[in-house]
Amino acid sequence: MNQEQDLQKRMLIFFVIVAVLMIGFSFFSSYFYQDQTDKTAKQQTVQTETKVEETKRETPQEKKDTEEEKTQIVYQAGGSYNLLLGSRRINADDLNNIVSIKTDFGEVKISKIGARIISIYIDKYKTDIISDFSKKNRIFPTEIITTDPKITELINFSRYTFKKEGDRLIFVLKKDGIEVVKEFILNDSIFLFNLRSKGLEKYGISVINGISLGEAGTVFGHSGAVIKTDKELIKIDPDIERKQVIRGNILWSGEENKYFIQMLASKDGFTATHVIPVAKEKTVVLSEIPPNLEGFFLGGPKLYSLLENITEIYKKEWNKDLALQDTVDFGIFGILGKPLFIVLHFFYNYTHNWGVAIILLTVLIRIIFFPLNHKSLKAMKKMADLAPEIKKLQKKYKDDPQKLQQEMMRLYAEHGANPMSGCLPIIVQIPVFIALYNVLMVTVELKNAPFMLWITDLSSKDPYYILPILMGLSMVAQQWITPSSDKNQRMIMYIMSAVFTFMFMNFPSGLVLYWLTNNILGLIQSYFINRKIGKPEKK
């Protein structure tokens, strides 16, 4: 096999590997990387002062009535804190005795039974942060769970009196020697949450930080419990079979999926947080607290700028780095994904259109890689111009492969050509491509974000497949105008264009827009290089 045939084979193998990598990346991220991340976080926790414990799994209650079977509860959380999941909880609240608050982002509902947040509806995303699972089982954030089931029942299944003082929503329970006051103050996108109690001093007290959220529609990003200590961010998957107890200096904890979060932070922190499995891939996060608590509750989208702003506010007020923006999971190429998103957000602030921002980001990336692409295209042009000479050598030394290889290497050296230089820009840009893919898949800012005409959601595929087809045509045009030293190699590239077109049909339209723009810029660059560079001269 001569050098040129060997090059064709290498190019084909390379592009097949790229295609396989891109198709299999989603499975790799969800099943391998996510598991490894969680395992690593848990291992790191053991090595630091923060301590993660596993409690023994409690046996299921043998007696369940019809209502409890409908809740699909696998078993009740045992140990110190009993969540009292079952018919008593469901029958205690019909979710009609509520206080409703209209907000800038939607509507919040707080039940007078237990003074619990039962709904946070976000108009922009048409999503309720409180999941159907929470509502069905009547278990909600800001509940107080004690070590005495009777007290827990009294606090959460009793009706509170309500009054409003300015922007303060105050719920009060006075019953059987117990007094609980819950105060909610809506402050932009968060609720300041203050708790005062009397008569609970001899009991262990905890507060529910979050309950498993609904599915976000894709496997990308983490879904499950999230706990922030002063040392690290711990993520625990919802498929655990035993209760996890995290001890240490805990700043906040809650539940998340790739787009949304429920979390409660305390000014004084938490000493222990429990992650309790309550159903198949459903967990409840609760943290141990003193009788009085000052903090805030966030239930909403993981908007990077919002999380960063809240973090900055509490750096000043509490002198603590909550690092809420770290909950946005940019994947294995996060070192690239995070700056890509920050630049993308910068462009959006001026254009107010995420599609236009993606186009500008693509132009910027193309400028950064311009020297590499330019060198590659020049090398490919040289290889194409040398094709007649290479064929002569192949004919002349067809019976002497060793001499043919020596003469071809001499020819490349004389004209400064490199057969493999055309692959380098593609290899270098693959991490950028994957990083941008993660950005588009996990950032809620692009959820339901329109571009123009038929593209109404840049995080979803093109419903009419127009962008993927245009992208495929641009790849064909790029191969047509790009210099090539062999017709067979050009045919291989045409086949790969078709493969990429079908592969991109289910990719986010924002990612296809990036690749289409990149191809168009590549076409322009190739055109000028072809005009500028003539036949090669010997050095």
Side-chain angles (χ1 to χ4, degrees):
M1 182 180 290
N2 61 39
Q3 183 77 7
E4 189 69 7
Q5 291 172 331
D6 184 58
L7 174 61
Q8 292 173 20
K9 183 179 178 181
R10 290 183 185 181
M11 289 289 291
L12 177 59
I13 292 173
F14 170 74
F15 279 102
V16 168
I17 291 173
V18 171
V20 170
L21 283 174
M22 292 169 67
I23 294 171
F25 179 69
S26 60
F27 299 99
F28 175 84
S29 296
S30 59
Y31 294 109
F32 177 77
Y33 173 69
Q34 183 171 304
D35 290 343
Q36 288 297 107
T37 302
D38 297 333
K39 288 176 183 176
T40 302
K42 293 173 187 175
Q43 290 170 358
Q44 290 175 345
T45 311
V46 174
Q47 294 170 0
T48 61
E49 294 179 2
T50 309
K51 184 178 179 183
V52 179
E53 302 173 351
E54 282 193 357
T55 63
K56 294 181 180 180
R57 179 173 178 170
E58 296 295 319
T59 58
Q61 288 187 343
E62 295 181 356
K63 185 178 180 181
K64 294 184 178 180
D65 57 21
T66 304
E67 291 289 340
E68 288 175 327
E69 289 177 3
K70 289 180 180 178
T71 63
Q72 298 178 345
I73 299 301
V74 177
Y75 60 91
Q76 284 196 352
S80 302
Y81 298 101
N82 193 327
L83 296 173
L84 301 180
L85 296 172
S87 58
R88 284 182 295 172
R89 173 180 285 276
I90 293 171
N91 295 332
D93 193 352
D94 59 7
L95 304 184
N96 288 323
N97 197 355
I98 62 172
V99 175
S100 182
I101 312 145
K102 294 291 184 181
T103 66
D104 293 339
F105 55 80
E107 185 178 26
V108 176
K109 295 178 181 179
I110 303 176
S111 176
K112 293 181 180 179
I113 307 298
R116 307 170 296 175
I117 299 175
I118 64 169
S119 177
I120 305 174
Y121 189 80
I122 311 295
D123 289 334
K124 181 178 179 180
Y125 304 108
K126 300 177 182 178
T127 299
D128 197 332
I129 306 302
I130 308 300
S131 68
D132 291 338
F133 176 82
S134 288
K135 295 175 182 178
K136 184 176 181 179
N137 293 284
R138 306 294 197 270
I139 182 166
F140 301 107
T142 67
E143 280 193 21
I144 308 301
I145 309 297
T146 74
T147 50
D148 187 326
K150 292 182 179 179
I151 300 298
T152 299
E153 183 176 359
L154 174 72
I155 293 174
N156 294 301
F157 306 160
S158 299
R159 178 173 176 171
Y160 285 57
T161 60
F162 167 73
K163 63 179 178 179
K164 184 176 181 181
E165 296 180 355
D167 56 355
R168 301 153 72 94
L169 309 176
I170 302 171
F171 296 83
V172 180
L173 174 69
K174 293 182 180 179
K175 193 173 182 180
D176 298 343
I178 302 295
E179 181 178 340
V180 176
V181 179
K182 291 184 181 181
E183 184 178 86
F184 300 88
I185 305 170
L186 183 62
N187 184 11
D188 293 330
S189 299
I190 65 174
F191 268 110
L192 304 180
F193 178 67
N194 299 317
L195 170 69
R196 300 188 301 275
S197 67
K198 293 180 182 178
L200 301 179
E201 291 77 12
K202 63 180 181 179
Y203 305 105
I205 312 172
S206 63
V207 61
I208 293 181
N209 308 71
I211 302 98
S212 286
L213 302 173
E215 294 298 325
T218 178
V219 296
F220 279 81
H222 176 256
S223 180
V226 56
I227 301 98
K228 179 68 175 74
T229 72
D230 59 343
K231 300 181 182 297
E232 60 186 329
L233 185 68
I234 302 170
K235 297 187 176 186
I236 299 177
D237 286 346
D239 58 355
I240 58 173
E241 296 183 352
R242 297 181 179 180
K243 179 170 67 173
Q244 306 287 316
V245 182
I246 296 88
R247 300 188 186 279
N249 184 10
I250 299 168
L251 306 182
W252 58 265
S253 58
E255 290 271 355
E256 67 170 357
N257 61 24
K258 72 167 185 173
Y259 284 148
F260 304 103
I261 189 170
Q262 292 176 12
M263 55 78 63
L264 181 67
S266 171
K267 183 177 182 179
D268 298 322
F270 306 115
T271 56
T273 292
H274 303 240
V275 182
I276 305 172
V278 292
K280 184 179 180 181
E281 297 192 355
K282 301 291 182 184
T283 53
V284 174
V285 176
L286 54 88
S287 296
E288 297 179 17
I289 60 171
N292 299 322
L293 170 71
E294 179 183 348
F296 73 85
F297 175 79
L298 169 64
K302 294 197 291 188
L303 295 164
Y304 193 88
S305 57
L306 170 65
L307 300 178
E308 197 171 43
N309 184 52
I310 295 172
T311 297
E312 290 302 315
I313 289 173
Y314 284 93
K315 267 186 184 179
K316 297 175 182 177
E317 291 191 9
W318 291 357
N319 196 29
K320 293 180 179 180
D321 184 7
L322 302 181
L324 289 168
Q325 65 273 20
D326 290 348
T327 59
V328 181
D329 186 1
F330 289 110
I332 57 175
F333 290 108
I335 193 171
L336 294 173
K338 186 174 179 179
L340 279 176
F341 177 73
I342 291 173
V343 174
L344 188 66
H345 202 288
F346 172 80
F347 287 139
Y348 173 76
N349 288 337
Y350 288 94
T351 63
H352 303 290
N353 185 301
W354 286 106
V356 176
I358 289 171
I359 292 173
L360 293 176
L361 177 65
T362 310
V363 173
L364 178 62
I365 293 173
R366 193 78 194 187
I367 292 172
I368 293 172
F369 284 110
F370 178 82
L372 192 61
N373 288 321
H374 189 72
K375 185 177 180 181
S376 171
L377 290 170
K378 285 176 67 176
M380 293 173 71
K381 181 72 169 63
K382 288 180 180 180
M383 289 296 298
D385 292 337
L386 290 175
E389 297 297 325
I390 292 172
K391 287 181 180 179
K392 289 180 182 179
L393 291 174
Q394 289 171 350
K395 185 176 180 180
K396 183 177 181 180
Y397 299 105
K398 62 181 178 179
D399 297 325
D400 190 349
Q402 186 175 358
K403 182 66 175 177
L404 173 62
Q405 186 173 6
Q406 290 175 354
E407 290 298 315
M408 288 178 66
M409 290 300 102
R410 181 185 60 78
L411 184 67
Y412 293 151
E414 286 179 356
H415 297 284
N418 184 349
M420 298 304 296
S421 61
C423 298
L424 185 59
I426 300 174
I427 295 172
V428 172
Q429 291 182 66
I430 286 176
V432 177
F433 175 83
I434 296 174
L436 185 60
Y437 184 53
N438 273 282
V439 167
L440 296 175
M441 292 299 289
V442 304
T443 50
V444 71
E445 284 86 347
L446 285 128
K447 180 177 172 62
N448 297 339
F451 172 42
M452 59 184 296
L453 302 175
W454 71 96
I455 303 297
T456 57
D457 185 356
L458 287 164
S459 68
S460 298
K461 67 179 183 180
D462 184 336
Y464 304 111
Y465 305 110
I466 296 174
L467 280 182
I469 292 172
L470 291 175
M471 187 214 70
L473 292 174
S474 71
M475 291 184 71
V476 170
Q478 195 170 33
Q479 297 310 318
W480 181 75
I481 197 174
T482 300
S484 176
S485 59
D486 188 85
K487 292 181 179 179
N488 293 329
Q489 183 178 325
R490 187 185 293 273
M491 183 57 64
I492 289 171
M493 301 303 290
Y494 286 149
I495 294 171
M496 289 308 301
S497 298
V499 171
F500 272 55
T501 300
F502 283 102
M503 190 168 59
F504 272 64
M505 282 186 170
N506 291 316
F507 277 16
S509 54
L511 192 70
V512 184
L513 178 63
Y514 161 79
W515 203 256
L516 172 60
T517 306
N518 189 61
N519 287 348
I520 292 172
L521 294 173
L523 279 168
I524 296 171
Q525 189 174 1
S526 295
Y527 174 76
F528 283 105
I529 285 177
N530 288 345
R531 290 194 60 183
K532 182 178 180 182
I533 301 177
K535 293 291 183 180
E537 297 180 1
K538 290 186 179 181
K539 291 186 176 179

